[in-house]
Amino acid sequence: MHAPRRNSPRAGLWAMPTALALLLATGCGSGDGDPAPPSPSQSTGPSPTAPGERTMRQLAEERGKYMGVAVDADALGEESPYPRLAGEQFGMLTAENAMKWPQTERSPGSTSYEDADRVVDFAKRHRQRLRGHALTWNTHEPQWLSAQKFSDERIGELLREHVQDEAGRYKGAIYAWDVVNEPLTGKGTLKPGTLLDALGPDYIADSLRWAHQADPDARLYLNEFGAEGIGPKSDGLYRLAKSLKEKGVPLHGIGFESHFELGKVPKDMRQNMERFTALGLEVAVTELDVRMRTPATDDALERQAEDYASVIRTCLNVEKCVGVSFWNLHDGASHVPKKRPGWGAAHAYDAQYRPKPAREAVAEALTEEGG
Ligand code: G3I
């Protein structure tokens, strides 16, 4: 078991909400539409949520925000705590991979949405919102798109068909789409790739317009990593967002992925978010994790908890920050060690689904006065 968090006011943490909080809970959603009230889990398998425990979902909704998580379509059907936790603790789901173009169109014109549908069905049964992820990703297009020698014009048609087909299929089911994922280099310039090479910079505006035609009610986002603090990359993202807004392109939000290394949450994250909200955009933390060298130490887990809490506080302090999503649910389902051997333990639950200090710190931050 993990060591208890220092200075952890557990007695107050799970206390019943005040009348004010109840009023907020009934009046606050995360953006447009009805707030999804917490519902009893309809998943099988043991529940790691303690009886009477107030979930992150409830606590966030009382603050007018959502808590979300990226999920694996197969794991949602497991006889394990995975679906219970995903269904109980979060009001927003993102398909980790199931909605990506390589997964939904394995060969040209041959679509397969079974995995994505399972995520959508799960969210409906648990009265959760969905972030669609991701329609257009310049460096992660299907392998067949770059392998076959399509004309630039044909690549444009294939992209349009993909965006319209997928966004149209889930019309009404998606709160927000990451329409364009990770378009920038570290210097804040447009990242080279099949789509930029074939279509030029307009692939971004066109993708947003096609998505808007297919699902006019969905919030449409640019989603980027490494742009959480102020610097060359976020400056480039700011310039891109501003120019899209000025041209009247349907862009509604910026997703700050927030894959952090322990102790490296930027101090100016709030200031950075606020320059985007000043453009009339909403913002969201879309993929939060905090990685550390493994094996994890108790001290590192405590510092990780502080990092998680600081991101939650940042979102609470930015009025138009709609919510925070984790990328992934627990350390046993983590994308981190696959990409960075020797690193991991990045999530709020451990590989046995036990809440880590970070989980507790998130709940504490969500219940703090005056955030
Ligand atoms: O599709 C094949 C599947 O057919 C095959 O059975 C399997 C065998 O390994 O590989 C499958 O594809 C893998 C896919 O995950 C699904 O498991 C890809 O090779 C692998 O590259 C892919 O990794 C994902 C990565 O995005 C690239 O799409 C990670 O799981 C996912 O966590 C990661 O998520 C990204 C966000 O989308 C964007 N922001 C960064 C974040 C973390 O890297």
Side-chain angles (χ1 to χ4, degrees):
M1 288 290 283
H2 303 294
R5 276 178 50 68
R6 286 190 292 270
N7 307 322
S8 172
R10 288 194 68 96
L13 183 56
W14 308 118
M16 288 303 289
T18 61
L20 176 64
L22 275 170
L23 273 176
L24 282 169
T26 53
C28 290
S30 47
D32 310 44
D34 297 326
S39 61
S41 175
Q42 298 173 33
S43 297
T44 56
S47 172
T49 305
E53 175 185 311
R54 297 184 60 232
T55 64
M56 289 185 285
R57 174 181 185 160
Q58 290 171 313
L59 296 171
E61 285 172 1
E62 286 168 12
R63 303 297 294 269
K65 312 284 181 187
Y66 66 76
M67 286 299 301
V69 65
V71 290
D72 176 75
D74 288 340
L76 289 179
E78 281 175 0
E79 282 285 327
S80 79
Y82 191 105
R84 293 294 295 253
L85 265 188
E88 289 173 354
Q89 293 286 338
F90 302 92
M92 177 76 77
L93 295 187
T94 308
E96 181 180 8
N97 289 306
M99 290 186 177
K100 292 172 180 171
W101 195 4
Q103 266 73 21
T104 61
E105 193 170 354
R106 287 177 187 260
S107 56
S110 166
T111 53
S112 52
Y113 287 111
E114 293 80 7
D115 287 353
D117 286 351
R118 282 190 285 146
V119 177
V120 174
D121 290 346
F122 184 94
K124 270 189 196 152
R125 279 187 282 118
H126 294 81
R127 305 181 70 183
Q128 293 164 303
R129 294 169 192 230
L130 283 156
R131 291 192 63 88
H133 176 86
L135 290 171
T136 297
W137 191 353
N138 189 35
T139 52
H140 280 66
E141 74 287 351
Q143 199 265 338
W144 53 258
L145 190 77
S146 37
Q148 297 187 27
K149 296 283 173 229
F150 293 112
S151 67
D152 292 351
E153 189 187 5
R154 184 68 187 130
I155 289 177
E157 282 170 10
L158 287 162
L159 178 64
R160 180 180 52 74
E161 285 162 12
H162 154 65
V163 169
Q164 291 185 332
D165 189 59
E166 184 159 1
R169 179 182 183 85
Y170 297 117
K171 181 175 187 291
I174 301 286
Y175 161 72
W177 268 110
D178 292 331
V179 177
V180 181
N181 199 44
E182 302 177 6
L184 299 175
T185 66
K187 292 180 180 160
T189 54
L190 292 182
K191 197 186 274 178
T194 306
L195 302 177
L196 182 69
D197 296 350
L199 309 172
D202 283 349
Y203 87 88
I204 295 175
D206 286 342
S207 295
L208 288 157
R209 291 191 186 104
W210 295 326
H212 187 60
Q213 285 161 10
D215 188 355
D217 292 332
R219 316 292 291 158
L220 305 183
Y221 274 61
L222 302 178
N223 191 49
E224 190 53 274
F225 72 94
E228 294 81 12
I230 292 177
K233 190 166 190 177
S234 64
D235 289 348
L237 186 59
Y238 180 82
R239 285 192 299 273
L240 174 61
K242 189 164 183 283
S243 97
L244 291 167
K245 289 292 286 176
E246 283 167 359
K247 288 181 198 151
V249 176
L251 173 70
H252 309 116
I254 302 293
F256 294 98
E257 292 188 9
S258 306
H259 296 287
F260 293 124
E261 189 180 320
L262 185 64
K264 297 206 175 156
V265 178
K267 300 274 179 288
D268 54 6
M269 193 168 169
R270 174 179 176 178
Q271 194 188 344
N272 189 38
M273 281 182 164
E274 284 176 343
R275 64 176 170 156
F276 287 89
T277 62
L279 293 175
L281 295 163
E282 64 184 44
V283 296
V285 174
T286 49
E287 307 187 10
L288 177 61
D289 57 43
V290 179
R291 64 184 177 274
M292 61 184 72
R293 291 274 179 198
T294 49
T297 62
D298 284 347
D299 178 61
L301 292 172
E302 288 297 323
R303 288 189 287 130
Q304 179 186 52
E306 289 309 316
D307 285 346
Y308 266 85
S310 82
V311 175
I312 297 290
R313 286 187 201 110
T314 298
C315 186
L316 288 171
N317 280 316
V318 176
E319 191 191 346
K320 288 173 77 181
C321 177
V322 292
V324 176
S325 293
F326 296 164
W327 202 269
N328 306 106
L329 178 57
H330 70 117
D331 290 342
S334 178
H335 71 103
V336 174
K338 291 178 204 154
K339 204 168 167 185
R340 299 171 195 265
W343 291 82
H347 310 289
Y349 291 88
D350 72 11
Q352 283 72 47
Y353 298 96
R354 291 175 303 210
K356 292 163 63 180
R359 159 65 179 83
E360 212 173 319
V362 166
E364 284 174 30
L366 287 169
T367 49
E368 279 165 5
E369 293 290 322

